[in-house]
Amino acid sequence: MLKQFLQFKLSQKLSPQQIQLMKLIQLPTQAFEQRLKQELEENPALEGGKEESKDELDSDFDNTTDDYEDNDSINAEDINVDEYLSDDEIPDYRTQVNNYSSDDEEKTMPYAAGTSFTQHLVSQLNTYRLSDEERDIAEFLVGSVGESGYIRREISDIVDDLAFTQSVYTTEEQVAKVLKIVHQLDPAGVGARNLQECLSIQLHRKEKTADTELAINIIDNAFDQFTKKHYKKLLNKFNITETQLKDAINEIEHLNPKPGGSYAGNNRIVEHVVPDFAIKIVDGELELTLNGRNAPELHVSREYNNMLKGYKDAKDKSKSQKDAVIFIKQKLDAAKWFIEAIKQRQQTLFVTMSAIMHYQKEYFLTGDERNLKPMILKDIADEIHMDVSTVSRVANSKYVDTPYGTKLIKEFFSESMKNDQGEDVSTREIKKILETVVEEENKKKPLTDENLAGILKDKGYPIARRTVAKYREQLDIPVARLRKKI
């Protein structure tokens, strides 16, 4: 049996301009400058720099706007705009909305200049006498080296890929032979397939001493006990003293577990942090400023404005003139909107950061993380009467220069929990205390999570062992067994 029913659904759709404004708010300073440069290049009606006669131009623009909206101007009844505008005349922000969501992140990032890591390795192959087949295999292996310097693939898979993609038909034995040549390249340890092999390669290239020989033996024959820090088992296995073991471990700890990271000219992404705000303490009070690079001087082109005036004054209005004035009107509208969007962006950034600064006043005056109050996005959103997503866009991508260094704004946000006095305290405060306790512990007998929970309880923070474990993992602090030192 079929049933019919009506369902009413209320939905809110953001306009392209609103979405573009959200994207502008999300951009950090350098990406914002790139976006600004792009708009200046694409819209000739938008100009940067100080305007010579701003009041006069604003007056002209306002009057002109009225002119081309009166009875003598072009309107929807006179001309079908779609017939005269081509896609390349539509601003970027009106077309991109169809292809990107408002949550897309800016992907453009500056890259480090110089020779790439792969090129650096390939150039070293020129010093080896290799057959054509060996060179093809070596270059393929070098191309398979990841950012950290490892080849995270099985030799059998490499053999298959050589056949399918390079038309090089070889064997696993031949690839393994060439891989040993790659292991001789600098930096030491490059081309290893796992951490054990990486450390072993580096140790075999060091000067032979009693310490390095023992270190090689440990890595090659007792790697599992070493990583789990089962020192007593190592002492018994190799029949050595604690001093000998300590010296061998010292050799291992000075090795590089990520040889790819040691090459300064590699093509890893380099993020240049430019603070969007600055907070200073002046006469005991906090002072907030917005980076001037976020407040460019923009104005509408006088030349384009005059073109519209010329059209109004013209007695005969030809079809080509109508075509031109549609283009001019569209560009002027886009320029005026973009200038307004920049102003809204500046205001949103400043209001949001000002609210955060006053909310965390005690921290910004002292620099003590223990003075950070519990603060979530909704706290600030409610205070400035904006959406939580807007505050999130500011917090996740913006930096502030403080007397205590440059900080990512989202670092000031944290959840709350109650201490033994029933007061709300920030989880950041608890994590800071936890970090301090671990730093000061006896490394020969590191504290377990149960011990840490007991210490925090004594300090007035009654939290469960599993919560301690969660905070410890968030701080990248290993478990007690892995913090142990001989």
Side-chain angles (χ1 to χ4, degrees):
M1 182 177 176
L2 295 175
K3 289 185 179 180
Q4 285 186 325
F5 61 92
L6 291 175
Q7 182 179 9
F8 294 95
K9 187 176 181 182
L10 183 64
S11 64
Q12 185 179 18
K13 197 171 184 180
L14 292 175
S15 69
Q17 287 83 0
Q18 287 174 310
I19 292 173
Q20 178 61 7
L21 177 58
M22 290 298 100
K23 281 179 164 292
L24 287 174
I25 289 172
Q26 181 173 302
L27 296 177
T29 298
Q30 286 192 318
F32 169 68
E33 288 179 331
Q34 290 297 317
R35 178 67 186 85
L36 182 64
K37 182 182 177 183
Q38 178 188 349
E39 190 71 19
L40 285 168
E41 289 173 351
E42 293 178 357
N43 190 350
L46 183 67
E47 293 182 351
K50 194 171 183 180
E51 195 177 354
E52 292 181 5
S53 180
K54 190 174 189 308
D55 295 337
E56 181 184 344
L57 181 57
D58 286 344
S59 175
D60 287 346
F61 183 76
D62 292 339
N63 293 335
T64 307
T65 303
D66 293 337
D67 288 341
Y68 67 68
E69 288 180 355
D70 65 19
N71 294 329
D72 294 331
S73 69
I74 296 170
N75 54 43
E77 287 73 31
D78 294 331
I79 292 177
N80 182 353
V81 176
D82 292 337
E83 291 178 6
Y84 295 91
L85 289 180
S86 61
D87 289 343
D88 61 343
E89 291 171 342
I90 300 172
D92 249 6
Y93 51 77
R94 294 190 184 176
T95 56
Q96 286 182 350
V97 66
N98 296 321
N99 304 315
Y100 301 95
S101 75
S102 59
D103 291 327
D104 280 352
E105 293 182 3
E106 183 67 23
K107 294 294 190 293
T108 304
M109 296 283 285
Y111 282 80
T115 308
S116 73
F117 187 31
T118 302
Q119 290 170 332
H120 171 66
L121 297 174
V122 169
S123 65
Q124 294 180 62
L125 293 175
N126 296 328
T127 62
Y128 292 85
R129 193 184 298 274
L130 303 171
S131 66
D132 291 344
E133 181 188 356
E134 287 174 335
R135 184 167 186 85
D136 288 341
I137 295 171
E139 289 185 357
F140 188 83
L141 288 170
V142 163
S144 300
V145 173
E147 187 180 273
S148 297
Y150 289 83
I151 295 178
R152 304 283 191 182
R153 311 188 59 206
E154 295 295 329
I155 289 182
S156 58
D157 294 334
I158 292 173
V159 171
D160 291 340
D161 278 355
L162 279 166
F164 286 119
T165 64
Q166 309 295 316
S167 296
V168 175
Y169 301 96
T170 184
T171 64
E172 292 186 23
E173 291 75 17
Q174 182 70 348
V175 172
K177 176 185 172 186
V178 177
L179 183 58
K180 288 183 179 179
I181 296 172
V182 173
H183 288 166
Q184 297 174 34
L185 303 180
D186 289 324
V190 73
R193 287 159 292 177
N194 51 56
L195 178 60
Q196 182 179 11
E197 188 173 53
C198 177
L199 299 177
S200 181
I201 291 169
Q202 293 179 60
L203 286 168
H204 278 91
R205 287 174 62 172
K206 290 174 74 77
E207 181 184 350
K208 293 294 183 288
T209 65
D211 293 338
T212 56
E213 291 285 359
L214 177 57
I216 290 171
N217 211 354
I218 290 172
I219 295 300
D220 289 349
N221 302 308
F223 187 70
D224 190 52
Q225 289 100 320
F226 168 73
T227 55
K228 292 179 179 177
K229 296 198 173 183
H230 291 159
Y231 295 137
K232 287 185 178 179
K233 291 183 180 180
L234 292 175
L235 292 172
N236 294 330
K237 182 179 178 71
F238 297 107
N239 193 24
I240 52 177
T241 65
E242 281 195 7
T243 302
Q244 288 174 310
L245 180 58
K246 189 181 293 185
D247 291 340
I249 289 174
N250 186 55
E251 288 284 343
I252 297 170
E253 287 178 342
H254 282 82
L255 302 176
N256 186 357
K258 293 184 178 180
S262 64
Y263 180 66
N266 60 14
N267 263 5
R268 291 182 302 159
I269 294 172
V270 177
E271 184 180 1
H272 301 280
V273 174
V274 177
D276 301 87
F277 310 91
I279 292 178
K280 295 180 180 178
I281 301 174
V282 180
D283 297 328
E285 293 296 324
L286 297 173
E287 183 179 279
L288 174 67
T289 54
L290 179 67
N291 189 330
R293 291 163 65 172
N294 283 297
E297 292 183 340
L298 298 172
H299 60 270
V300 175
S301 167
R302 179 186 290 274
E303 182 181 352
Y304 266 60
N305 200 48
N306 289 337
M307 286 181 188
L308 278 185
K309 291 177 67 179
Y311 173 79
K312 176 185 176 296
D313 296 338
K315 293 180 180 179
D316 299 321
K317 296 177 174 63
S318 67
K319 181 177 181 296
S320 61
Q321 285 178 311
K322 287 183 178 182
D323 293 351
V325 83
I326 289 173
F327 173 82
I328 293 166
K329 178 184 179 300
Q330 180 265 323
K331 291 297 182 186
L332 285 170
D333 285 345
K336 193 173 183 182
W337 178 86
F338 192 77
I339 291 170
E340 182 60 32
I342 296 302
K343 290 179 181 177
Q344 287 186 49
R345 178 183 185 272
Q346 293 169 17
Q347 182 181 16
T348 301
L349 294 187
F350 193 85
V351 167
T352 305
M353 188 63 228
S354 180
I356 293 170
M357 180 183 74
H358 287 102
Y359 201 100
Q360 300 289 7
K361 183 176 181 180
E362 194 174 349
Y363 164 76
F364 285 114
L365 286 173
T366 63
D368 189 344
E369 288 191 8
R370 289 172 296 185
N371 289 332
L372 275 173
K373 292 168 60 179
M375 178 177 73
I376 59 175
L377 294 172
K378 192 174 184 301
D379 293 331
I380 301 302
D382 290 344
E383 191 163 319
I384 62 178
H385 307 294
M386 289 187 183
D387 195 79
V388 170
S389 63
T390 302
V391 178
S392 176
R393 283 181 170 87
V394 175
N396 286 329
S397 59
K398 306 291 183 294
Y399 288 84
V400 57
D401 182 28
T402 74
Y404 325 106
T406 300
K407 310 283 186 181
L408 183 61
I409 294 171
K410 73 175 182 180
E411 293 178 1
F412 304 131
F413 289 84
S414 63
E415 296 176 347
S416 67
M417 68 160 293
K418 294 189 181 295
N419 62 13
D420 57 359
Q421 303 296 315
E423 302 168 333
D424 283 335
V425 293
S426 168
T427 53
R428 285 288 302 273
E429 177 182 337
I430 298 171
K431 288 178 183 178
K432 188 67 180 177
I433 294 170
L434 178 62
E435 209 170 16
T436 303
V437 170
V438 171
E439 284 176 2
E440 295 174 351
E441 72 182 357
N442 180 357
K443 295 303 179 187
K444 289 192 175 183
K445 295 182 69 176
L447 299 165
T448 64
D449 291 342
E450 197 72 50
N451 298 145
L452 292 170
I455 292 173
L456 286 171
K457 185 177 181 181
D458 292 342
K459 290 180 178 289
Y461 305 98
I463 58 177
R465 184 203 58 80
R466 63 178 178 276
T467 308
V468 170
K470 182 178 77 170
Y471 292 166
R472 177 179 52 71
E473 288 169 3
Q474 290 173 351
L475 292 166
D476 287 329
I477 297 173
V479 295
R481 176 171 50 79
L482 297 181
R483 300 199 306 270
K484 185 178 180 182
K485 292 186 179 295
I486 192 169

